[in-house]
Amino acid sequence: MGKEKRILVVGGGAAGMMAALAAGEEGAKVHLFDKNIRLGRKVLITGKGRCNLANAAPIPDIIKNMPGNGPFLYSSLSQMGPEALMALLEDGGVPLKVERGQRIFPYPISRRISSPF
């Protein structure tokens, strides 16, 4: 019998939550810690409080419009681009909509997450 994998993720932002999800899907026992009382707090306030998740533009367009060293993102975006992120979220029960500027938001069908903002 193999030893149980135990993972500790520090930081409950977008990257930390995705890392914890991936580890859990691989069968690990995951503990996710953040200094805020609610996970994903900063994600919730993006897009003027509407939770701007990503941009649905093609990857070269995203890179071109990124300030600084945009080409640095090619590696990570090629691993999980906008289409894959949208599929992951929608498969997980989060309906999405794409708005002006190719910005991706959760569809506001209900107030699923209570927010202090």
Side-chain angles (χ1 to χ4, degrees), residues 6 11-12 36 43 52 55 57 63 68 110 117:
R6 298 186 322 175
N36 292 309
V43 176
N52 184 357
N55 194 288
I63 299 296
S110 67
F117 309 108

Side-chain angles (χ1 to χ4, degrees), residues 69-91:
N69 186 15
F72 172 77
L73 296 173
Y74 269 115
S75 176
S76 60
L77 288 174
S78 68
Q79 295 296 312
M80 179 176 247
E83 301 88 8
L85 176 63
M86 291 176 72
L88 175 75
L89 293 170
E90 288 178 329
D91 290 348

Side-chain angles (χ1 to χ4, degrees), residues 3-64:
K3 191 173 182 181
E4 179 183 54
K5 290 187 225 174
R6 298 186 322 175
I7 305 288
L8 169 67
V9 178
V10 179
M17 290 189 292
M18 291 294 287
L21 175 67
E25 287 178 342
E26 292 295 318
K29 182 176 181 179
V30 181
H31 295 276
L32 177 58
F33 293 92
D34 192 74
K35 66 181 178 180
N36 292 309
I37 196 162
R38 287 196 171 104
L39 297 174
R41 183 172 181 249
K42 289 182 181 179
V43 176
L44 288 172
I45 63 174
T46 61
K48 297 182 180 177
R50 295 180 48 225
C51 194
N52 184 357
L53 297 168
N55 194 288
I59 292 172
D61 292 346
I62 294 171
I63 299 296
K64 178 177 66 177

